[in-house]
Amino acid sequence: MLSIKNISKSFAGNVVLKDISMEIVPESIVGIAGPSGGGKSTLLRCIQGLNTVDSGQILCDSKIGFMFQDFQLFPHMTVWQNILYAAKLEKNKSIYELEELAHGLLKKLDIESLVERYPGNLSGGQKQRVALARSLMLQPDLLLCDEPTSGLDIATMGEVVDLLKSVCSKQTAMIIASHDLDFLTRIADRIFLIKNGQIIAHMVVKDLKDPIGYLRTLYGKS
Ligand SMILES: Nc1ncnc2c1ncn2[C@@H]1O[C@H](COP(=O)(O)OP(=O)(O)OP(=O)(O)O)[C@@H](O)[C@H]1O
Ligand SMILES: [Mg+2]
């Protein structure tokens, strides 16, 4: 569904991604870990086509949804308008079908009572649910999530794990970028560690006794 082959990316001579390759198969949840500035968001943006790559190839036959690090909700639109806006632009479903889909997602995410509110009046967790509903309106096969737990407390972090697992259909693959190792090891099947733009480790979470400890050791090494 997604094949990344030897991609590299620089911004004004500053190399941000170096020779990154990975394969994402359907139904998998892949974590991208790594320190701040390591290139996680840039990699997701390249996959989505928001950034171009300098070399290498990204082959993707999936419909991609993107949940941004800072949510990027439209401040002048209500929750309901935010959720429907992009889906309406796609013009491949009737407004009736879209509204039905939106109601289902609002219910699942327990945010039905927020439809008339504006993003400025929502808590971080509520904004996140709205952002998730908006990306799921496009019924993606591949959901890219950038730091879905940033700014949330520990209890809510557990909720995000449950939420993502319950709300995405089993067929939806996910790539989740996060520096939160506890979160990533709870949700992901595989984790890539990206540091200074390079993949320095790739692990299958269930194969490791102490995946967090292992990742922490690698964080420390250059
Ligand atoms: N549009 C841009 N122009 C110039 N430099 C950029 C641009 N986007 C990202 N960078 C740089 O690329 C590097 C990687 O940034 P990126 O946002 O991908 O890191 P990250 O791993 O997502 O970090 P964080 O954990 O803080 O979100 C940083 O040094 C950043 O300043
Ligand atoms: Mg980032």
Coordinates of all heavy atoms in Angstrom, one line a residue, residues 87-130:
A87 N -14.4 16.7 3.0 CA -15.1 15.6 2.5 C -16.1 16.1 1.4 O -16.3 15.5 0.3 CB -15.9 14.9 3.6
K88 N -16.7 17.3 1.5 CA -17.6 17.9 0.5 C -16.8 18.2 -0.8 O -17.3 18.0 -1.9 CB -18.2 19.2 1.1 CG -19.5 19.0 1.9 CD -20.1 20.3 2.1 CE -21.2 20.3 3.1 NZ -21.5 21.6 3.6
L89 N -15.6 18.7 -0.6 CA -14.8 19.0 -1.8 C -14.5 17.8 -2.7 O -14.3 17.9 -3.9 CB -13.4 19.6 -1.3 CG -13.5 21.0 -0.7 CD1 -12.1 21.5 -0.3 CD2 -14.2 22.0 -1.5
E90 N -14.4 16.6 -2.0 CA -14.1 15.4 -2.8 C -15.2 15.1 -3.8 O -15.0 14.4 -4.8 CB -13.9 14.2 -1.9 CG -12.5 14.2 -1.3 CD -12.1 12.8 -1.1 OE1 -12.9 11.9 -0.9 OE2 -10.9 12.6 -1.0
K91 N -16.5 15.5 -3.5 CA -17.6 15.3 -4.4 C -17.9 13.9 -4.9 O -18.4 13.6 -6.0 CB -17.4 16.2 -5.6 CG -17.5 17.7 -5.3 CD -17.6 18.5 -6.6 CE -17.9 19.9 -6.5 NZ -17.5 20.8 -5.7
N92 N -17.5 12.9 -4.1 CA -17.8 11.5 -4.5 C -18.9 10.9 -3.7 O -19.2 9.7 -3.9 CB -16.5 10.7 -4.5 CG -15.9 10.6 -3.1 OD1 -16.4 11.2 -2.2 ND2 -14.9 9.7 -2.9
K93 N -19.5 11.7 -2.8 CA -20.6 11.2 -2.0 C -21.7 12.2 -1.9 O -21.4 13.4 -2.0 CB -20.1 10.9 -0.6 CG -19.4 9.6 -0.4 CD -19.4 9.2 1.1 CE -18.6 7.9 1.3 NZ -17.2 8.0 1.1
S94 N -22.9 11.8 -1.8 CA -24.0 12.8 -1.6 C -23.9 13.5 -0.2 O -23.3 12.9 0.7 CB -25.4 12.1 -1.8 OG -25.6 11.3 -0.6
I95 N -24.5 14.6 -0.1 CA -24.5 15.3 1.2 C -25.1 14.4 2.3 O -24.7 14.4 3.4 CB -25.1 16.7 1.1 CG1 -24.9 17.5 2.4 CG2 -26.5 16.7 0.7 CD1 -23.5 17.9 2.7
Y96 N -26.2 13.7 1.8 CA -26.9 12.8 2.8 C -25.9 11.7 3.3 O -25.8 11.5 4.5 CB -28.1 12.2 2.1 CG -28.7 11.1 2.9 CD1 -29.6 11.5 4.0 CD2 -28.5 9.8 2.7 CE1 -30.1 10.5 4.8 CE2 -29.1 8.8 3.5 CZ -29.9 9.2 4.6 OH -30.5 8.2 5.4
E97 N -25.1 11.1 2.4 CA -24.2 10.1 2.8 C -23.1 10.7 3.8 O -22.7 10.1 4.7 CB -23.5 9.5 1.6 CG -24.3 8.6 0.8 CD -23.7 8.2 -0.5 OE1 -23.3 9.1 -1.3 OE2 -23.5 7.0 -0.7
L98 N -22.7 11.9 3.4 CA -21.6 12.5 4.2 C -22.1 12.8 5.6 O -21.4 12.6 6.6 CB -21.1 13.8 3.5 CG -20.3 13.7 2.3 CD1 -19.9 15.0 1.7 CD2 -19.0 12.9 2.6
E99 N -23.4 13.4 5.7 CA -23.9 13.7 7.0 C -24.1 12.5 7.9 O -23.9 12.5 9.1 CB -25.2 14.5 6.8 CG -24.9 15.9 6.3 CD -26.1 16.8 6.3 OE1 -27.2 16.4 6.7 OE2 -25.9 18.0 5.9
E100 N -24.5 11.4 7.2 CA -24.7 10.1 7.9 C -23.4 9.6 8.5 O -23.2 9.2 9.6 CB -25.3 9.1 7.0 CG -26.0 8.0 7.7 CD -26.7 7.1 6.7 OE1 -26.1 6.6 5.7 OE2 -27.9 6.9 7.0
L101 N -22.3 9.7 7.6 CA -21.0 9.3 8.1 C -20.5 10.2 9.2 O -20.0 9.7 10.2 CB -20.0 9.4 6.8 CG -18.6 9.0 7.0 CD1 -18.5 7.5 7.3 CD2 -17.9 9.3 5.7
A102 N -20.7 11.5 9.1 CA -20.3 12.4 10.1 C -21.0 12.1 11.5 O -20.3 12.1 12.5 CB -20.6 13.9 9.7
H103 N -22.3 11.9 11.4 CA -23.0 11.6 12.6 C -22.5 10.3 13.3 O -22.3 10.3 14.5 CB -24.5 11.4 12.4 CG -25.2 12.7 12.2 ND1 -25.2 13.7 13.3 CD2 -25.9 13.3 11.2 CE1 -25.9 14.7 12.8 NE2 -26.3 14.5 11.6
G104 N -22.2 9.3 12.5 CA -21.6 8.1 13.0 C -20.3 8.3 13.7 O -20.0 7.8 14.8
L105 N -19.4 9.1 13.1 CA -18.1 9.4 13.7 C -18.2 10.2 15.0 O -17.5 10.0 16.0 CB -17.2 10.1 12.7 CG -16.6 9.3 11.5 CD1 -16.0 10.1 10.5 CD2 -15.6 8.3 12.1
L106 N -19.1 11.2 14.9 CA -19.3 12.1 16.1 C -19.8 11.2 17.3 O -19.3 11.4 18.4 CB -20.3 13.2 15.8 CG -19.9 14.3 14.9 CD1 -21.1 15.0 14.3 CD2 -19.0 15.2 15.6
K107 N -20.6 10.3 17.0 CA -21.1 9.4 18.1 C -20.0 8.5 18.6 O -19.8 8.5 19.8 CB -22.3 8.6 17.5 CG -23.1 7.9 18.5 CD -24.4 7.4 17.8 CE -25.2 6.8 18.8 NZ -25.6 5.9 19.5
K108 N -19.3 7.9 17.7 CA -18.2 7.0 18.1 C -17.2 7.8 19.0 O -16.6 7.2 19.9 CB -17.5 6.5 16.9 CG -17.9 5.1 16.4 CD -16.9 4.6 15.4 CE -17.4 3.4 14.6 NZ -16.5 3.1 13.5
L109 N -16.9 9.0 18.6 CA -15.9 9.8 19.2 C -16.4 10.6 20.4 O -15.7 11.3 21.1 CB -15.2 10.8 18.2 CG -14.3 10.1 17.2 CD1 -14.1 11.0 16.0 CD2 -13.0 9.7 17.8
D110 N -17.8 10.4 20.6 CA -18.4 11.1 21.8 C -18.3 12.6 21.7 O -18.0 13.2 22.8 CB -17.9 10.5 23.1 CG -18.8 10.7 24.2 OD1 -20.0 11.0 24.0 OD2 -18.3 10.7 25.4
I111 N -18.5 13.2 20.6 CA -18.4 14.7 20.5 C -19.6 15.3 19.8 O -19.6 16.3 19.2 CB -17.1 15.1 19.7 CG1 -16.9 14.3 18.4 CG2 -15.8 15.0 20.6 CD1 -15.8 14.9 17.5
E112 N -20.7 14.5 19.9 CA -22.0 15.0 19.3 C -22.4 16.4 19.8 O -23.0 17.2 19.1 CB -23.1 14.0 19.5 CG -22.9 12.7 18.7 CD -23.8 11.6 19.4 OE1 -23.5 11.2 20.5 OE2 -24.7 11.1 18.7
S113 N -22.1 16.6 21.1 CA -22.6 17.8 21.7 C -21.8 19.0 21.3 O -22.1 20.2 21.6 CB -22.5 17.7 23.2 OG -21.2 17.4 23.6
L114 N -20.7 18.8 20.6 CA -19.8 19.9 20.2 C -20.0 20.5 18.9 O -19.3 21.5 18.5 CB -18.3 19.5 20.3 CG -17.8 18.8 21.6 CD1 -16.3 18.4 21.4 CD2 -18.0 19.8 22.8
V115 N -21.0 20.0 18.1 CA -21.1 20.4 16.7 C -21.2 21.9 16.4 O -20.7 22.4 15.4 CB -22.2 19.7 15.9 CG1 -21.9 18.2 15.7 CG2 -23.5 19.8 16.7
E116 N -21.8 22.6 17.3 CA -22.0 24.1 17.0 C -20.9 24.9 17.6 O -20.8 26.1 17.4 CB -23.3 24.6 17.7 CG -24.6 24.0 17.1 CD -24.7 24.2 15.6 OE1 -24.3 25.3 15.1 OE2 -25.2 23.3 14.9
R117 N -19.9 24.3 18.3 CA -18.8 25.0 18.9 C -17.7 25.4 17.9 O -17.6 24.7 16.8 CB -18.2 24.2 20.0 CG -19.2 23.8 21.1 CD -19.1 24.7 22.3 NE -17.9 24.5 23.0 CZ -17.7 23.7 24.1 NH1 -18.7 22.9 24.5 NH2 -16.6 23.6 24.7
Y118 N -16.9 26.4 18.2 CA -15.8 26.7 17.4 C -14.5 26.2 18.0 O -14.4 26.0 19.2 CB -15.7 28.2 17.2 CG -16.7 28.8 16.3 CD1 -18.0 29.1 16.8 CD2 -16.5 28.9 14.9 CE1 -19.0 29.6 15.9 CE2 -17.5 29.4 14.1 CZ -18.7 29.7 14.6 OH -19.7 30.2 13.7
P119 N -13.4 25.8 17.2 CA -12.2 25.2 17.8 C -11.6 26.0 18.9 O -11.1 25.4 19.8 CB -11.3 25.2 16.6 CG -12.2 25.1 15.4 CD -13.4 25.9 15.7
G120 N -11.7 27.3 18.9 CA -11.1 28.2 19.9 C -11.7 27.9 21.3 O -11.1 28.2 22.3
N121 N -12.9 27.3 21.4 CA -13.5 27.0 22.7 C -13.4 25.6 23.1 O -14.2 25.1 23.9 CB -15.0 27.4 22.6 CG -15.3 28.8 22.2 OD1 -14.4 29.6 22.4 ND2 -16.3 29.0 21.4
L122 N -12.6 24.8 22.4 CA -12.5 23.4 22.7 C -11.2 23.1 23.5 O -10.2 23.8 23.4 CB -12.4 22.5 21.5 CG -13.6 22.7 20.5 CD1 -13.4 21.9 19.2 CD2 -14.9 22.2 21.2
S123 N -11.2 22.0 24.3 CA -10.0 21.6 25.0 C -9.1 20.9 24.0 O -9.5 20.5 22.9 CB -10.4 20.6 26.1 OG -10.8 19.4 25.6
G124 N -7.8 20.6 24.4 CA -6.9 19.9 23.5 C -7.4 18.6 23.1 O -7.4 18.2 21.9
G125 N -8.0 17.8 24.0 CA -8.5 16.5 23.7 C -9.7 16.5 22.8 O -9.8 15.7 21.9
Q126 N -10.5 17.6 23.0 CA -11.7 17.7 22.1 C -11.3 18.1 20.7 O -11.8 17.5 19.7 CB -12.7 18.8 22.7 CG -13.4 18.3 24.0 CD -14.1 19.4 24.7 OE1 -13.7 20.6 24.5 NE2 -15.1 19.1 25.4
K127 N -10.3 19.0 20.6 CA -9.8 19.4 19.3 C -9.3 18.2 18.5 O -9.5 18.0 17.3 CB -8.7 20.4 19.4 CG -9.1 21.8 19.6 CD -7.9 22.7 19.6 CE -8.3 23.9 20.4 NZ -7.1 24.7 20.8
Q128 N -8.6 17.3 19.3 CA -8.0 16.1 18.7 C -9.1 15.2 18.2 O -8.9 14.6 17.1 CB -7.2 15.5 19.8 CG -6.5 14.3 19.2 CD -5.6 13.7 20.3 OE1 -6.1 13.5 21.4 NE2 -4.4 13.5 20.0
R129 N -10.1 15.0 18.9 CA -11.2 14.2 18.4 C -11.9 14.7 17.2 O -12.2 14.0 16.2 CB -12.3 14.0 19.5 CG -11.9 13.0 20.6 CD -12.8 13.1 21.8 NE -12.2 12.3 22.9 CZ -12.6 11.1 23.2 NH1 -13.7 10.6 22.7 NH2 -12.0 10.4 24.1
V130 N -12.0 16.0 17.1 CA -12.6 16.7 15.9 C -11.6 16.5 14.7 O -12.0 16.1 13.6 CB -12.8 18.2 16.2 CG1 -13.3 18.9 14.9 CG2 -13.8 18.4 17.3

